[in-house]
Amino acid sequence: MKYCSQCGAVVALKTPPADNRPRYICDSCETIHYQNPKVVAGCLVEANDGRILLCRRAIEPRYGYWTLPAGFMELGETTIEAALRETLEEAEARVQLDGLFAVFNLPHVDQVYMMFRSRLLDGRFGAGDESLEASLFSQDAIPWQELAFSTIYHTLRLYYEDQAHGRYRVHTGDIIKLDEGRYELRSGPAV
Amino acid sequence: MKYCSQCGAVVALKTPPADNRPRYICDSCETIHYQNPKVVAGCLVEANDGRILLCRRAIEPRYGYWTLPAGFMELGETTIEAALRETLEEAEARVQLDGLFAVFNLPHVDQVYMMFRSRLLDGRFGAGDESLEASLFSQDAIPWQELAFSTIYHTLRLYYEDQAHGRYRVHTGDIIKLDEGRYELRSGPAV
């Protein structure tokens, strides 16, 4: 950030009075420009036969890799509305929402990732504009080596672990970047 | 938003190609300025004797009303780090985190509210810069009529309901603004 989005003057990075971290401040109109993490919301969609809906990405980053439908929450939305919208946009799927499943923090990219369990409503799905294809996968067919993101891998892994234990929980954790292309999930409390 | 924060040119509100909603766009440097909801994180802190830690607000909005320690998540933080930091800043309390308790959407102010259950570590607490006082309350002493926000009311109400049922769950829901000063919780799935 270089200019004030309210008045166009040059901003300076400094700590406001009664604050404890630097912010972009406009000395001209006195606006303090706070910056905050963003929420990514999406759905783990289960079909009637238990298979899971994945989309192959038609956009960067991770073009060509498989993902669960998810994307940035918009102004005016709830997290569930965002998850349902992304599922419709990316996988052309209407779903019945079952509950929150995972909350992962990604501090290296300032994101909070919220995934909901859901069931495919009418069996129909397809490739939205941001997907090359959409397809259903049984557990032994999941393309584990071709998943787009660490968040997707851990969401699916925890889902099958919970399924084997007969109870879905809410999982929390932090995805920590170790070095380029290597990430680790540090699990928080599951409820 | 009137000016581009990257180059200082005037921005225009229009829908980018391959998008479906208007964004502030800079025609000069081509930056698209996305705006997204913010996360508020906080702690419901239980003392050894079961009493709950509340703070009386020294800032607007709702100056003088009681709240749970909570505030905006900062860049680089996880939700848990934000909740612990706010608890230390507003209530001068160090806590042991037990788990996620509530995720409330507040679409009228573009916020997602995440509250964690926790226990007071060493019995010490106090009024931080943004608090007039901090105090422990038993269930029958909670100042229900003097709580700062609807989110705080519902977090406390659901906490005591869960406690009566012998199991804490993760609650989701949307706080909907009905009219000035009147709000309603539309509960989503609890897990």
Side-chain angles (χ1 to χ4, degrees):
Chain A
M1 182 178 293
K2 293 171 197 157
Y3 299 91
C4 176
S5 56
Q6 290 307 307
C7 78
V10 173
V11 294
L13 194 61
K14 53 189 179 184
T15 302
D19 199 343
N20 52 24
R21 63 189 71 206
R23 315 281 181 186
Y24 288 103
I25 297 179
C26 177
D27 286 328
S28 178
C29 75
E30 297 184 346
T31 300
I32 303 172
H33 297 279
Y34 294 96
Q35 296 179 298
N36 304 85
K38 295 175 193 284
V39 175
V40 175
C43 283
L44 195 158
V45 183
E46 187 177 310
N48 279 341
D49 61 4
R51 286 185 297 168
I52 297 297
L53 183 57
L54 297 180
C55 307
R56 205 152 70 83
R57 288 172 64 83
I59 52 171
E60 294 291 349
R62 304 293 278 165
Y63 180 100
Y65 285 80
W66 292 93
T67 189
L68 295 166
F72 287 111
M73 186 181 178
E74 299 277 4
L75 294 184
E77 280 185 333
T78 69
T79 43
I80 286 176
E81 286 169 348
L84 296 179
R85 177 183 50 72
E86 291 288 344
T87 302
L88 189 59
E89 286 178 3
E90 297 186 357
E92 298 181 349
R94 286 179 174 75
V95 300
Q96 169 73 45
L97 208 119
D98 282 332
L100 184 61
F101 181 67
V103 180
F104 294 141
N105 299 281
L106 285 74
H108 60 287
V109 286
D110 294 310
Q111 293 175 7
V112 181
Y113 207 93
M114 298 181 59
M115 296 302 296
F116 294 86
R117 284 183 297 108
S118 68
R119 279 161 296 138
L120 193 56
L121 266 187
D122 54 11
R124 291 161 59 185
F125 60 89
D129 287 345
E130 298 184 357
S131 304
L132 297 170
E133 58 180 312
S135 188
L136 295 172
F137 291 87
S138 58
Q139 185 175 356
D140 57 8
I142 296 274
W144 294 103
Q145 303 304 316
E146 294 165 54
L147 296 177
F149 305 111
S150 179
T151 47
I152 305 302
Y153 168 79
H154 288 293
T155 301
L156 288 167
R157 179 182 63 77
L158 290 165
Y159 181 76
Y160 288 121
E161 277 184 23
D162 276 11
Q163 198 172 73
H165 287 95
R167 184 193 154 200
Y168 296 111
R169 315 215 294 171
V170 182
H171 299 272
T172 62
D174 308 331
I175 305 264
I176 302 300
K177 183 174 184 171
L178 301 176
D179 48 48
E180 206 50 57
R182 286 181 60 238
Y183 300 89
E184 174 183 283
L185 174 67
R186 297 188 185 154
S187 293
V191 181
Chain B
M1 182 177 294
K2 293 172 196 153
Y3 300 90
C4 176
S5 55
Q6 290 308 305
C7 77
V10 173
V11 293
L13 193 61
K14 52 188 179 184
T15 303
D19 200 344
N20 51 23
R21 63 190 69 207
R23 316 280 181 185
Y24 288 103
I25 296 179
C26 177
D27 286 326
S28 177
C29 74
E30 299 184 342
T31 300
I32 303 172
H33 297 279
Y34 295 97
Q35 295 179 298
N36 304 86
K38 295 174 193 283
V39 175
V40 175
C43 282
L44 195 158
V45 183
E46 188 177 309
N48 279 341
D49 61 4
R51 286 186 297 168
I52 298 295
L53 183 59
L54 297 179
C55 307
R56 205 152 70 83
R57 288 171 64 84
I59 52 171
E60 294 292 350
R62 304 293 279 164
Y63 180 100
Y65 286 80
W66 292 92
T67 191
L68 295 166
F72 287 110
M73 186 182 177
E74 299 278 4
L75 293 185
E77 281 186 332
T78 68
T79 42
I80 286 175
E81 286 169 348
L84 296 178
R85 175 183 51 73
E86 291 288 344
T87 302
L88 189 59
E89 284 178 6
E90 297 187 358
E92 297 180 350
R94 285 178 175 76
V95 302
Q96 169 73 43
L97 208 117
D98 283 333
L100 184 60
F101 181 67
V103 180
F104 294 142
N105 298 281
L106 286 74
H108 60 287
V109 286
D110 294 310
Q111 293 175 7
V112 181
Y113 206 91
M114 297 181 60
M115 295 301 296
F116 294 86
R117 285 184 296 108
S118 69
R119 281 162 294 138
L120 193 56
L121 264 186
D122 53 11
R124 291 162 59 186
F125 60 90
D129 287 345
E130 299 183 356
S131 305
L132 296 170
E133 58 181 310
S135 189
L136 294 172
F137 292 87
S138 59
Q139 185 176 356
D140 57 7
I142 295 275
W144 295 101
Q145 303 304 317
E146 295 166 57
L147 295 178
F149 306 110
S150 180
T151 46
I152 305 303
Y153 168 79
H154 288 293
T155 300
L156 288 167
R157 179 182 64 77
L158 290 166
Y159 182 77
Y160 288 121
E161 276 184 24
D162 276 10
Q163 197 172 75
H165 287 95
R167 182 191 155 200
Y168 295 111
R169 314 215 298 171
V170 182
H171 299 271
T172 62
D174 307 331
I175 307 265
I176 302 299
K177 183 172 183 171
L178 301 175
D179 47 47
E180 206 50 55
R182 286 181 59 239
Y183 300 88
E184 174 183 281
L185 174 67
R186 297 186 187 155
S187 293
V191 181

